[in-house]
C-alpha cells in the first residue's frame, strides 16, 4: 500500500524546532512527508535538517525543479497538509489566498484536509486581524488548532504556544483517517468531563475511583480533530493536554459540577464521561485524622453528591443542547442502561459492560450507545477513539 502523503508546512517562528519532532512522528508511523518551509522558517531550522529527516529535497520557492511544477504538484498529491507552526503572517496569507512562495502555492492547490497549528505571541493571536483570518480559514473547512497557554519566547506567558508535537500528531492522524475536508463539528462548542472525582476526608486522604480519563480524552481529541471548540473538565487525570483543547482541572464532584455548568451555558453538546462519586464524606477534617491506639476508628458518614448529568439533562443550560452520559453495568446491561437513560433524561447513554477484559485504564472499550429515541448503536471492542468517533457521529446527527 502506498504511504499517505503529508505536506508539513513550517513557517517562521521559534516553535519551528518542535516541527522536527512532529516530522519524526509522521515518518515513523508510515507517512511520506514532504517538508515545505518558508524562507523565514529556515532562520530557525535549516534545510539540511528537514531534508535529512524527511528523505526528500527541500525548497522554499517555486523556482527549484521547475520541470516538475512543484508549486502545483505537491499540493495536488497531498492527502493532508499540516502547517506547524503557523505564524500570524502565514494565517493572513492563507486566509487571503496569497501565493508568493512554495508553501502558499501548495495551500492553494491542495484539495485534501488542511490543519494549521498557530504559534505566536498572545497579542498577535488575539488581534482582530488574526482572529478574522482564523475564522475565515475555519469557515472554509481548515482545522485551526487553538494554541496552548504557557511559556512563550522570552519571559512572558500566555496563549500562543504551539501544542506538544505528539498531540498535533494525534490531530493529524485523526484528520487523515477521516479524510474529509468539511470538519462536521466546526463552529460547535462541546464540553466533556473526564477522569474520576476525589472526595477528601482530610488534607491527605480521599475517596476516589480508578477512572483514568482516557475515554474522555479520546472524546476531546476526536472532537478537536472534527473542528470543535472543546472544553475538557478533567478530574484528577495524569494525561497530556490534547492539542487545541481548553483543559479545566477539577478535584471533587462539587467542583466538577460548577465547571461543567459554567462551560455548558454556551455549549452545543455536553458529554459526561467522568466517573463522578455519588457520595462524599459528610465532614472534612482540617487536620490529618490520627489513629488512637485505644479506640476503634470512627465510621465514615457519607452524603449524596449532586447528579450533574440528571441536572443538565433536565434543565438544559442551553436550549437544543445534546447531553450524553456514560454508565458502567455488570448485568442486564441493556435493560439497566435503558432505565438509567430514562431516569437521567439524557439524549444518549454509552453503556459499558464492566468485565474482565474491560478494565479501567485500558486503551480499549466496548459499548452500546442507547438513544432516547429508542436507537441502539453497538460499538465493537476496539480503541477508545473509535467509540469516541461513534459518539460524535450520533451527536452531530442530533445537532443538525
Ligand atoms: N454522573 C453525574 N453525577 C453524579 C454521578 C454520575 O453526572 N453524581 C454521571 C456520570 O458522569 C455518568 C453517569 O452519570 O455519565 C453515570 O451515572 P451513575 O448513575 O453514576 O451510573 P453508574 O456509575 O453506572 O452507577 P450506578 O448504577 O450505581 O448508579
Amino acid at each position: 500500500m502506498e504511504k499517505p502523503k503529508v505536506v508539513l508546512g513550517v513557517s517562521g517562528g521559534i516553535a519551528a524546532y518542535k516541527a522536527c519532532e512532529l516530522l519524526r512522528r509522521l515518518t515513523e508511523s508510515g507517512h511520506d512527508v514532504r517538508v515545505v518551509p518558508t524562507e523565514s522558517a529556515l532562520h530557525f531550522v535549516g534545510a539540511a535538517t528537514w531534508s535529512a529527516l524527511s528523505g526528500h529535497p527541500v525548497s522554499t520557492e517555486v523556482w527549484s525543479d521547475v520541470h516538475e511544477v512543484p508549486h502545483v504538484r505537491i499540493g495536488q498529491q497531498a492527502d493532508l497538509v499540516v502547517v506547524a507552526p503557523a505564524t500570524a503572517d502565514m494565517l493572513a496569507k492563507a486566509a487571503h489566498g496569497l501565493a508568493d512562495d512554495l508553501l502558499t502555492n501548495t495551500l492553494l492547490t491542495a484539495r485534501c484536509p488542511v490543519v494549521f497549528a498557530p504559534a505566536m505571541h498572545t497579542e498577535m493571536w488575539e488581534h482582530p486581524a488574526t482572529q478574522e483570518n482564523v475564522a475565515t480559514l475555519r469557515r472554509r473547512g481548515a482545522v485551526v488548532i487553538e494554541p496552548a497557554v504557557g511559556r512563550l519566547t522570552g519571559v512572558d506567558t500566555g496563549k500562543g504556544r504551539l501544542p506538544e508535537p505528539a498531540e498535533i500528531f494525534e490531530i493529524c492522524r485523526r484528520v487523515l483517517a477521516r479524510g474529509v475536508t468539511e470538519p462536521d463539528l466546526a463552529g460547535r462548542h462541546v464540553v466533556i468531563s473526564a477522569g474520576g472525582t476525589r472526595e477528601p476526608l482530610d488534607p491527605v486522604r480521599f475517596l476516589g475511583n480508578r477512572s483514568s480519563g482516557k475515554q474522555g480524552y479520546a472524546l476531546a481529541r476526536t472532537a478537536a480533530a472534527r473542528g470543535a471548540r472543546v472544553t475538557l473538565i478533567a478530574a484528577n487525570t495524569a494525561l497530556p493536554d490534547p492539542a487545541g483543547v481548553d483543559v479545566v482541572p477539577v478535584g471533587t464532584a462539587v467542583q466538577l459540577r460548577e465547571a461543567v455548568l459554567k462551560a455548558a451555558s454556551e455549549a452545543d453538546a455536553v458529554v459526561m464521561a467522568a466517573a463522578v462519586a455519588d457520595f462524599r464524606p459528610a465532614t472534612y477534617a482540617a487536620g490529618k485524622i490520627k489513629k488512637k491506639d485505644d479506640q476503634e476508628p470512627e465510621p465514615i458518614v457519607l452524603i449524596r453528591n449532586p447528579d450533574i448529568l440528571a441536572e443538565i439533562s433536565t434543565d438544559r443550560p442551553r436550549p437544543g443542547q445534546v447531553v450524553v452520559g456514560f454508565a458502567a453495568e455488570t448485568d442486564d446491561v441493556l435493560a439497566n442502561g435503558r432505565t438509567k437513560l430514562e431516569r437521567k433524561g439524557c439524549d444518549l447513554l454509552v453503556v459499558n459492560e464492566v468485565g474482565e477484559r474491560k478494565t479501567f485504564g485500558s486503551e480499549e472499550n466496548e459499548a452500546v450507545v442507547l438513544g432516547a429515541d429508542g436507537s441502539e448503536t453497538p460499538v465493537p471492542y476496539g480503541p477508545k477513539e473509535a467509540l469516541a468517533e461513534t459518539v460524535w457521529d450520533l451527536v452531530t446527527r442530533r445537532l443538525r
Side-chain angles (χ1 to χ4, degrees):
M1 232 173 69
E2 221 182 287
K3 290 179 174 179
K5 285 190 167 52
V6 176
V7 172
L8 171 58
V10 185
S11 52
I14 183 70
Y17 79 92
K18 290 191 186 171
C20 299
E21 165 75 11
L22 176 60
L23 172 57
R24 280 215 87 110
R25 282 184 186 262
L26 286 165
T27 53
E28 282 171 10
S29 55
H31 301 90
D32 182 14
V33 189
R34 181 82 196 233
V35 183
V36 185
T38 62
E39 197 57 43
S40 39
L42 296 184
H43 286 292
F44 296 97
V45 179
T49 302
W50 301 122
S51 185
L53 288 177
S54 68
H56 285 295
V58 165
S59 172
T60 63
E61 33 91 353
V62 296
W63 308 115
S64 322
D65 303 315
V66 176
H67 62 289
E68 289 179 358
V69 205
H71 75 287
V72 177
R73 197 179 41 84
I74 295 174
Q76 275 177 342
Q77 292 180 349
D79 297 303
L80 174 79
V81 177
V82 50
V83 184
T87 57
D89 180 62
M90 178 49 59
L91 296 173
K93 282 180 171 162
H96 293 278
L98 300 189
D100 59 355
D101 64 3
L102 188 55
L103 179 53
T104 46
N105 274 273
T106 299
L107 285 167
L108 285 184
T109 51
R111 291 294 175 271
C112 58
V114 179
V115 174
F116 291 93
M120 64 198 72
H121 265 78
T122 313
E123 292 81 356
M124 296 175 88
W125 172 252
E126 287 175 349
H127 196 283
T130 305
Q131 286 303 309
E132 278 171 31
N133 291 330
V134 168
T136 300
L137 292 167
R138 283 183 176 151
R139 207 171 46 245
R140 284 193 206 130
V143 173
V144 184
I145 305 172
E146 286 289 307
V149 177
R151 183 81 191 265
L152 304 170
T153 326
V155 292
D156 36 359
T157 58
K159 190 163 187 172
R161 258 175 85 87
L162 189 75
E164 287 311 308
E167 293 298 326
I168 301 174
F169 169 72
E170 288 300 323
I171 294 260
C172 292
R173 209 165 58 74
R174 285 166 171 83
V175 171
L176 198 50
R178 283 180 63 76
V180 292
T181 48
E182 293 281 319
D184 57 359
L185 285 173
R188 301 291 190 180
H189 178 205
V190 302
V191 174
I192 302 154
S193 70
T197 61
R198 289 180 181 177
E199 308 300 325
L201 282 157
D202 69 14
V204 292
R205 302 181 182 95
F206 58 83
L207 301 179
N209 61 69
R210 290 185 197 279
S211 178
S212 65
K214 284 181 182 165
Q215 184 61 65
Y217 275 63
L219 281 156
R221 289 199 181 93
T222 45
R226 288 167 79 147
R229 178 181 149 213
V230 185
T231 305
L232 177 63
I233 317 290
N236 309 296
T237 54
L239 299 166
D241 288 354
V245 170
D246 187 11
V247 182
V248 182
V250 294
T252 65
V254 168
Q255 290 166 357
L256 183 78
R257 175 180 173 275
E258 218 169 277
V260 167
L261 289 183
K262 187 169 168 222
S265 62
E266 48 178 70
D268 297 289
V270 182
V271 182
M272 286 292 297
V276 185
D278 288 317
F279 306 97
R280 68 176 181 275
T283 53
Y284 171 76
K288 191 180 164 199
I289 301 167
K290 301 296 256 181
K291 62 181 170 300
K292 299 188 187 86
D293 286 342
D294 53 346
Q295 273 177 29
E296 288 300 308
E298 292 282 327
I300 297 170
V301 179
L302 299 175
I303 54 170
R304 275 203 94 102
N305 267 329
D307 189 325
I308 307 159
L309 178 61
E311 185 177 345
I312 52 173
S313 297
T314 317
D315 298 317
R316 308 270 163 145
R318 185 177 164 174
Q321 167 173 83
V322 179
V323 179
V324 186
F326 272 70
E329 302 290 342
T330 49
D331 337 88
D332 290 334
V333 179
L334 292 183
N336 281 335
R338 196 46 77 189
T339 313
K340 190 170 284 178
L341 177 95
E342 276 158 28
R343 184 160 46 82
K344 301 255 186 184
C346 50
D347 301 294
L348 294 163
L349 188 74
V350 184
V351 189
N352 285 297
E353 186 177 350
V354 193
E356 278 168 24
R357 252 188 337 169
K358 305 137 197 169
T359 50
F360 284 111
S362 88
E363 303 296 335
E364 274 86 28
N365 214 339
E366 179 180 358
V368 178
V369 188
L370 302 178
D373 54 3
S375 62
E376 259 176 41
T377 312
V379 185
Y381 187 73
K384 288 184 171 175
E385 79 182 57
L387 173 56
E389 296 282 13
T390 304
V391 169
W392 294 127
D393 288 345
L394 295 168
V395 168
T396 43
R397 228 171 280 163
R398 279 157 180 79
L399 283 173
R400 251 179 246 142

